[in-house]
Amino acid sequence: MHVILTLEYDGTPFHGWATQPGLSTVEGALRRALGETFAAVESLAVAGRTDSGVHALGQVVSVDVEGGPPPERAAAALNPRLPDEITVLSSAEASASFHARHSARSRSYRYRLFTRSTPSPFERRRSWWLPQALDEHALGAAAAALVGQHDFSAFTPAQTQHDVFVRVVKRAEWIRRGDHLDFEITADSYLRHMVRSLVGTMVEAPDTIPGLLDGRPRSEAGVTAPPWGLYLVSVAY
């Protein structure tokens, strides 16, 4: 039985998505819950492998299972077996050809800045606190420059396993929501640390963004924003 799961999680206590020996990860927790719920679990795939501390509002998983509840009841069966920081929002049977990663057409991320003059205990590890004044017009122009096909070499670590650095950004914008200033981006796929490096560079020097989109080296871009402000919002298929 091929199943699709949609998850949300607080990435704070986890060392990222991918299973690592001796470390707490989202995948590790999900695999344990699946193993307690089904007689057999195989071919687990995820739409986006989030880094340590990164959150998700709409992570997607595909997995083959046997000997457990029907697909539509899998979420209810899994949630009591998962840590409080992880929830399966929905579960359903998927076609045999569906793959959470390879079938995805785009992924959307949000990066949250908390701009109030004083910090908040409720925002700790949920956003990047930046109380200084920001040029929101310049940030908006920088985000608009990202839309289209570009070489994002400047926004991923110099030591990387990527061979192709061109990505297609379908949407990018900054949105003011009260004390939050959110960067939202939708792209076909992403390089490692790409969104966080874009945010860090835009915060430091938004006017430099257009000149960095032609394969410039990482050293010419800005800092990498901390992971706890980043959310995987949704995946489109």
Side-chain angles (χ1 to χ4, degrees):
M1 182 170 58
H2 198 51
V3 176
I4 178 174
L5 307 173
T6 303
L7 285 70
E8 65 178 8
Y9 51 82
D10 173 357
T12 302
F14 301 107
H15 292 264
W17 166 266
T19 299
Q20 302 179 59
L23 296 177
S24 177
T25 67
V26 181
E27 181 184 12
L30 179 60
R31 284 188 179 276
R32 283 191 295 273
L34 287 165
E36 294 170 1
T37 306
F38 296 95
V41 178
E42 296 180 351
S43 304
L44 189 150
V46 67
R49 294 179 56 167
T50 50
D51 290 332
S52 178
V54 174
H55 316 294
L57 304 176
Q59 178 71 278
V60 178
V61 169
S62 56
V63 62
D64 291 324
V65 294
E66 293 180 9
E72 63 274 11
R73 292 177 52 197
L78 288 167
N79 283 328
R81 297 181 167 100
L82 286 166
D84 291 341
E85 294 84 1
I86 305 174
T87 294
V88 181
L89 297 172
S90 64
S91 56
E93 186 169 4
S95 66
S97 62
F98 178 80
H99 189 281
R101 178 186 174 192
H102 300 315
S103 300
R105 300 180 63 185
S106 66
R107 298 162 181 81
S108 296
Y109 282 87
R110 175 182 300 140
Y111 194 97
R112 308 211 81 186
L113 303 183
F114 184 58
T115 60
R116 196 176 73 180
S117 60
T118 56
S120 168
F122 302 107
E123 292 295 326
R124 186 176 180 272
R125 302 296 175 178
R126 299 290 192 283
S127 60
W128 185 13
W129 179 48
L130 286 177
Q132 69 264 33
L134 296 168
D135 186 339
E136 296 186 28
H137 177 75
L139 287 172
L146 300 175
V147 177
Q149 181 173 290
H150 304 287
D151 185 326
F152 287 92
S153 298
F155 303 100
T156 193
Q159 300 299 320
T160 178
Q161 296 180 345
H162 292 292
D163 296 318
V164 178
F165 298 89
V166 173
R167 297 293 187 270
V168 177
V169 173
K170 301 181 178 181
R171 169 180 169 262
E173 61 181 319
W174 286 90
I175 302 173
R176 168 62 69 178
R177 296 183 172 107
D179 289 328
H180 289 99
L181 184 58
D182 296 340
F183 174 63
E184 298 192 351
I185 183 170
T186 299
D188 60 344
S189 62
Y190 298 82
L191 302 169
R192 188 175 182 224
H193 297 173
M194 176 175 151
V195 178
R196 290 165 52 201
S197 299
L198 284 168
V199 169
T201 303
M202 282 189 279
V203 166
E204 282 190 344
D207 294 342
T208 66
I209 290 292
L212 293 169
L213 297 175
D214 60 353
R216 307 304 297 171
R218 179 68 183 92
S219 59
E220 294 187 14
V223 299
T224 301
W228 50 81
L230 184 61
Y231 298 73
L232 172 58
V233 175
S234 62
V235 185
Y237 294 94

